[in-house]
Amino acid sequence: MTGKYEHVLGFAVEHPWALTAAMRTIVAGILARRLVGEDASPEDIAAATVQRRNLPQPPRKGGGVALIPMYGVIAPRMNLLSDISGGTTFEALTAQLRAAVENPEVKTIVFDVDSPGGSVAGASEFAREVLKARTVKPVIAQAQYLMASAAYWPMACATEIVASPSAMVGAIGVYTIHDDITEALGKLGVKREVIGAGKYKTENVGGGPLSDEARAHVIGLVEANYTRQVVDISKGRGCSAADVRNGYAEGRCVDVEAALAAGMIDRIASLDDTLARVLAPAAARPHHSTAQATDQEPLAATSQEPTPDDATWQNATYGALAALEM
């Protein structure tokens, strides 16, 4: 295995994932090829290059709106995976968000989201960035056409979540995988011996079955990350943790009608509709949402232009931020 892939593979196995099942297969294929020492083929590289050229170049600004793409698998510092899958990193998204917040010409920030999720590492930190940003300017998360798992996690902290009519939303949850490859190694004539120091240093090394104690530890890590995800989402959406655990599709992706009914999104509209709405003169904007939107109307003026209702909403947001820092 070449050195340039070791950090990617090490990261992938050390951290749980918040990712859809379909994308999990693709990610596993990419990593498996690296494990056996295969570089990306020229065809893979060419296809990825074309794919990335076809993506909007983030962030795009115009008319007071910063449009930030959030595509593909999301994880911190995983350039190899992001290059092949067409994904992005939490660092890049954070930099783009901060730049939009600091730019006085930007009045509204819109995330154009089409992502199956990704790693739990960095998701909670980015959720806090989104929560802070929305105290300064409206932040709209637009599902066009998939907002799942680690993508939904930070986007739940936006001012408003909008989903296009054919979008899918949800897949909230965390998982990790342990493969017992003892039998496979035996068939290959490989007898693996692991030598280490430290009581638990080698408990999940060598490809054998997990002990009860090791399994309990892994379960604890997964549950801890899931709890963090649930808490961040509940603070962003202004609901209870129990509502997220029991009412937000329980790990499944759902269509927009079900997501709207569950309170996972605020309205159904395409990206073009959303941009038309935020770019319209203030006097021309409807004060209330359409029948497809929820009773909650979180799209607020910026903190420089508060209305009485907006001030109440902002105070609640500052309270949530204070709770996050405890």
Side-chain angles (χ1 to χ4, degrees):
M1 176 171 42
T2 57
K4 65 180 179 180
Y5 298 137
E6 289 177 354
H7 74 285
V8 176
L9 295 169
F11 180 89
V13 299
E14 291 291 342
H15 292 266
W17 288 81
L19 189 66
T20 60
M23 183 53 69
R24 178 178 63 202
T25 302
I26 296 173
V27 171
I30 294 171
L31 296 178
R33 291 178 63 178
R34 302 307 175 264
L35 278 170
V36 298
E38 290 186 17
D39 286 338
S41 69
E43 293 77 14
D44 287 339
I45 295 173
T49 300
V50 171
Q51 181 182 19
R52 294 183 70 81
R53 285 175 182 168
N54 289 337
L55 298 181
Q57 297 301 308
R60 294 184 293 170
K61 301 182 181 71
V65 175
L67 182 63
I68 303 176
M70 186 175 180
Y71 299 156
V73 177
I74 309 168
R77 297 188 299 274
M78 291 187 69
N79 293 329
L80 167 70
L81 189 56
S82 61
D83 284 345
I84 299 299
S85 71
T88 187
T89 66
F90 286 120
E91 282 85 358
L93 291 169
T94 297
Q96 293 160 20
L97 176 60
R98 288 177 178 175
V101 170
E102 294 169 2
N103 188 337
E105 296 181 359
V106 173
K107 305 303 180 184
T108 304
I109 301 166
V110 178
F111 281 95
D112 175 14
V113 184
D114 191 6
S115 170
S119 171
V120 301
S124 187
E125 290 84 348
F126 186 54
R128 297 185 184 199
E129 292 285 342
V130 176
L131 195 60
K132 291 176 183 177
R134 83 179 194 185
T135 67
V136 182
K137 301 175 181 181
V139 179
I140 301 176
Q142 172 74 48
Q144 187 95 0
Y145 298 88
L146 178 63
M147 186 188 292
S149 210
Y152 183 87
W153 182 344
M155 291 296 95
C157 293
T159 310
E160 177 184 45
I161 300 178
V162 185
S164 62
S166 61
M168 298 290 286
V169 177
I172 297 164
V174 177
Y175 70 89
T176 191
I177 297 173
H178 174 79
D179 292 324
D180 181 354
I181 60 173
T182 306
E183 184 176 347
L185 291 175
K187 290 180 179 179
L188 294 172
V190 176
K191 185 176 181 180
R192 179 171 291 173
E193 183 177 2
V194 179
I195 301 171
K199 181 177 180 181
Y200 300 116
K201 187 63 177 179
T202 61
E203 66 178 354
N204 195 16
V205 178
L210 292 174
S211 67
D212 291 342
E213 190 175 11
R215 182 176 292 103
H217 176 67
V218 173
I219 291 172
L221 290 176
V222 171
E223 181 59 37
N225 280 283
Y226 179 50
T227 297
R228 187 177 299 108
Q229 182 186 52
V230 166
V231 169
D232 287 345
I233 291 172
S234 67
K235 290 186 181 298
R237 297 299 295 164
C239 61
S240 70
D243 289 336
V244 177
R245 284 183 179 269
N246 303 321
Y248 275 31
E250 298 182 275
R252 291 177 173 173
C253 269
V254 296
D255 61 29
V256 290
E257 286 78 13
L260 186 62
M264 299 168 70
I265 64 174
D266 299 296
R267 68 174 75 223
I268 300 172
S270 69
L271 177 60
D272 286 345
D273 292 336
T274 295
L275 293 177
R277 174 165 59 94
V278 299
L279 290 171
R285 298 178 191 171
H287 180 67
H288 296 290
S289 56
T290 65
Q292 289 182 317
T294 63
D295 293 335
Q296 180 188 13
E297 183 66 28
L299 181 59
T302 67
S303 56
Q304 291 85 2
E305 305 171 318
T307 67
D309 289 341
D310 295 337
T312 300
W313 169 79
Q314 287 174 0
N315 288 337
T317 302
Y318 282 117
L321 277 170
L324 276 173
E325 297 302 327
M326 294 179 63

